[in-house]
Amino acid sequence: MKKIFTPFFLFAALTISKPDSLKAQVNVQDSLALVDFNNSTNVNWQTNTPVSTWFGITVTDNKVTAIDLSNFRDLAGSIPASFSNLSNLSDLNLFGANFGDSISPEIGNLTNLTRLCLSNCNLKGTIPSFLGNLVNLNFLDLSENHFKANVPSFLGNLINLTNLNLSLNDFWGNTSFLGNLTNLTSLNLGYNKFGGKIPPEFGNLVNLAYLDIDHNNLVGKIPPEFGNLIKLTYLNLSYNNLVGKIPLKLGKLINLEQLYLNNNQLTGSIPDGFQKNYFITLNLSDNQLSGNVIQLRPSWYRDGGYYSTELLLVNNKFTFAGMMYVQRYFKNSFYYGQANIPMHRNENILSVYTGGSDQLAYDTFKWYKNGELYQTKIADSTFTPTENGSYNVIVINSIAKQLRLHSDTINYVVADDLIASQINNENLLVSVYPNPAKTNATVSFNAEGRYTLTIIDLSGNILQTRTGVANKGANSIQLDVSNYASGMYLITIIDEKNRKQTLRLDKE
């Protein structure tokens, strides 16, 4: 049988008259409640010593105000009914305790609680409604349990909450009512089963500094209302199924230091507004992002310390655009494993786009035919096959060495193209000059009747289309290319006899 203990000083206070130095340090009601707790659990306090010296107990003005047993290993047993009598208790931390698979109702009577931690307590089922009585709570941690239910809406009435942690459970369902908790500075809903869209009501939580909703089943776009969360320093939406572009309004979050959007299906480019942020970590890996990445702050000096950004861009659709800058200035950067780049074909010219003219001089193009290296070219992303086969190219950059761009494969039959070229180009005699061009270029050709001229970049985008009627004999067209970025372009002209010819134009 378990021995029943009564605190020595309490016994003395009840039986004999004592000098002030020996008066009971805790009121009788609290003392009895702690004795019951001691007898119903394995905490084993030394009850022949003052309560204020007991492990995890804080006493203020002869009242128990805090119980922190988070460092007690394998705390087990049950919470007695008298625990409800700890009416002055404001802080209760039972992290890791095993008092059954549901929250003891006695806790619901502790209406002066401001902090409650029941993390890792093997709790199951639902959050009981009596927790709604704890209207003074500013800290609630129910993480690392086995709750399998909707988050109850009464939590939205605990308007004094500043910290709410429901992570590492199996919660699902609507959480829009959490947008009522405008005093929250920290909200953690990570590692649950929340689905649907992120509630735009979260944009009301303007005092949030920490928001974590990672490892769920969220879909849709990142709400632009997140741009209201100007105090955010940490945002984690990773490992969901979010789509669309990163909202431009996230660029307004100039206090944001850690941003995790990795392992979603986000598209588009990195917002220009991010160049204002002092990121410690920016993780955008495992999405479908593309574009230039140079508009970011790689390092800074602040508060007497030197900081540098950890930049993670692995497994997206980036090319070499800006990667030389990343390699040079972001010491902690990873950008390998980008998606295949498309192979473009225009008549007998194959080409790929690797990021623009800024890095082209550092690019090496290894062209493969039927899986074997066929030709190596430097600073030239176009290729004209002379043999039948399946062609692809691997591109490396001498500075941005983490990244190897792989192209799609295209099947090319030379014989058909040569015949078509001889027929289509008969008497067309197209030329372009000056080449390279700075501001203007002239296309000269022999044709008669209607014609169409197009200019495309190496990504296959049509930049300009001109149509007209050619006179018999020599004709010329003036092209304004002053606004084009430096690089290579393809000019194609087709006449009414369906004769076609493609030429390369280099823009300085």
Side-chain angles (χ1 to χ4, degrees):
M1 177 181 294
K2 184 167 181 166
K3 187 175 181 180
I4 305 299
F5 293 102
T6 300
F8 165 77
F9 65 85
L10 174 61
F11 177 79
L14 295 176
T15 57
I16 62 174
S17 176
K18 298 173 14 176
D20 289 344
S21 61
L22 293 178
K23 285 183 179 179
Q25 296 185 19
V26 178
N27 65 66
V28 173
Q29 178 176 275
D30 288 3
S31 298
L32 291 174
L34 291 183
V35 169
D36 288 345
F37 184 84
N38 185 74
N39 294 334
S40 62
T41 68
N42 62 344
V43 68
N44 291 326
W45 282 313
Q46 298 298 312
T47 56
N48 61 346
T49 61
V51 171
S52 61
T53 66
W54 292 5
F55 175 80
I57 300 297
T58 298
V59 175
T60 305
D61 296 331
N62 297 335
K63 300 168 185 176
V64 176
T65 55
I67 300 177
D68 184 355
L69 299 178
S70 58
N71 291 320
F72 190 96
R73 292 178 64 102
D74 302 319
L75 179 63
S78 62
I79 294 180
S82 59
F83 200 78
S84 299
N85 296 331
L86 295 170
S87 57
N88 294 286
L89 193 64
S90 62
D91 191 336
L92 177 60
N93 189 340
L94 299 178
F95 175 88
N98 186 2
F99 294 150
D101 59 10
S102 60
I103 299 175
S104 301
E106 290 76 17
I107 292 177
N109 297 323
L110 303 174
T111 55
N112 282 317
L113 277 181
T114 60
R115 294 175 58 86
L116 175 61
C117 177
L118 299 176
S119 175
N120 194 28
C121 289
N122 200 35
L123 300 172
K124 301 177 182 178
T126 63
I127 299 176
S129 60
F130 56 73
L131 285 193
N133 300 331
L134 307 181
V135 294
N136 293 306
L137 280 181
N138 56 54
F139 180 100
L140 176 60
D141 186 353
L142 300 178
S143 63
E144 296 185 70
N145 284 294
H146 305 286
F147 291 112
K148 294 185 177 182
N150 291 311
V151 176
S153 60
F154 67 76
L155 289 186
N157 299 325
L158 302 180
I159 58 174
N160 290 309
L161 280 176
T162 59
N163 291 264
L164 176 61
N165 190 347
L166 302 179
S167 64
L168 293 157
N169 281 285
D170 288 321
F171 287 119
W172 62 79
N174 177 39
T175 56
S176 61
F177 51 83
L178 296 180
N180 298 332
L181 304 178
T182 54
N183 289 310
L184 280 180
T185 60
S186 177
L187 175 61
N188 193 342
L189 303 176
Y191 286 86
N192 277 287
K193 293 183 178 179
F194 292 113
K197 297 181 179 180
I198 299 174
E201 289 84 356
F202 283 8
N204 299 332
L205 305 177
V206 294
N207 288 301
L208 274 183
Y210 182 102
L211 177 58
D212 191 338
I213 326 179
D214 70 319
H215 287 84
N216 278 284
N217 301 311
L218 298 170
V219 298
K221 298 181 178 181
I222 299 173
E225 289 82 0
F226 273 21
N228 300 330
L229 307 180
I230 58 175
K231 294 184 180 180
L232 271 185
T233 61
Y234 180 100
L235 175 60
N236 191 342
L237 304 178
S238 63
Y239 290 92
N240 282 287
N241 297 298
L242 301 174
V243 299
K245 296 182 178 181
I246 300 172
L248 294 177
K249 290 187 177 181
L250 288 192
K252 295 171 54 179
L253 306 182
I254 59 175
N255 294 305
L256 198 57
E257 295 180 342
Q258 298 184 71
L259 177 59
Y260 300 86
L261 300 179
N262 51 291
N263 294 87
N264 281 288
Q265 301 176 39
L266 300 173
T267 56
S269 59
I270 301 173
D272 288 341
F274 281 5
Q275 62 186 304
K276 300 176 183 178
N277 287 82
Y278 295 91
F279 284 115
I280 295 174
T281 299
L282 176 58
N283 192 342
L284 303 176
S285 295
D286 294 283
N287 281 288
Q288 300 176 38
L289 300 170
S290 58
N292 202 322
V293 295
I294 66 170
Q295 298 296 327
L296 295 170
R297 195 189 304 269
S299 59
W300 65 95
Y301 185 85
R302 185 178 66 187
D303 299 329
Y306 180 82
Y307 300 86
S308 60
T309 296
E310 180 184 36
L311 179 60
L312 305 173
L313 303 172
V314 175
N315 294 334
N316 277 284
K317 292 186 175 182
F318 292 111
T319 61
F320 289 120
M323 287 304 178
M324 292 196 306
Y325 178 88
V326 170
Q327 181 63 45
R328 285 172 173 149
Y329 297 105
F330 288 81
K331 296 180 180 179
N332 301 315
S333 64
F334 298 92
Y335 52 86
Y336 54 84
Q338 303 303 323
N340 284 3
I341 55 176
M343 175 87 73
H344 301 289
R345 177 178 178 179
N346 198 306
E347 289 297 299
N348 58 338
I349 299 176
L350 304 181
S351 63
V352 290
Y353 178 77
T354 62
S357 60
D358 292 341
Q359 92 298 321
L360 187 59
Y362 301 91
D363 289 352
T364 297
F365 299 80
K366 296 181 178 292
W367 289 91
Y368 288 80
K369 186 190 77 171
N370 301 329
E372 300 290 335
L373 182 62
Y374 184 72
Q375 187 178 109
T376 298
K377 302 181 74 175
I378 297 175
D380 187 349
S381 60
T382 63
F383 175 64
T384 302
T386 58
E387 299 178 6
N388 297 342
S390 297
Y391 290 89
N392 67 288
V393 63
I394 297 175
V395 192
I396 59 176
N397 183 281
S398 59
I399 295 177
K401 295 182 179 180
Q402 288 187 32
L403 181 54
R404 293 167 62 90
L405 292 176
H406 295 253
S407 78
D408 297 332
T409 299
I410 191 168
N411 294 319
Y412 191 95
V413 180
V414 173
D416 292 344
D417 283 289
L418 286 176
I419 294 171
S421 177
Q422 291 170 358
I423 295 173
N424 289 338
N425 295 334
E426 180 182 3
N427 299 321
L428 203 53
L429 300 176
V430 178
S431 63
V432 58
Y433 58 89
N435 197 0
K438 291 185 178 180
T439 57
N440 295 282
T442 299
V443 178
S444 177
F445 61 99
N446 288 336
E448 184 174 0
R450 288 200 162 273
Y451 68 86
T452 300
L453 179 146
T454 58
I455 303 177
I456 66 172
D457 61 21
L458 295 184
S459 294
N461 299 312
I462 298 176
L463 306 180
Q464 190 174 152
T465 300
R466 300 276 290 273
T467 60
V469 178
N471 299 318
K472 185 175 182 180
N475 293 268
S476 63
I477 301 174
Q478 301 294 320
L479 300 176
D480 181 2
V481 296
S482 58
N483 292 326
Y484 291 4
S486 299
M488 286 182 288
Y489 300 87
L490 298 177
I491 299 176
T492 298
I493 189 165
I494 306 174
D495 72 359
E496 64 182 17
K497 296 181 180 180
N498 205 32
R499 294 182 300 174
K500 180 190 300 184
Q501 189 167 337
T502 299
L503 297 93
R504 167 178 157 177
L505 170 65
D506 294 315
K507 169 65 168 59
E508 290 184 336

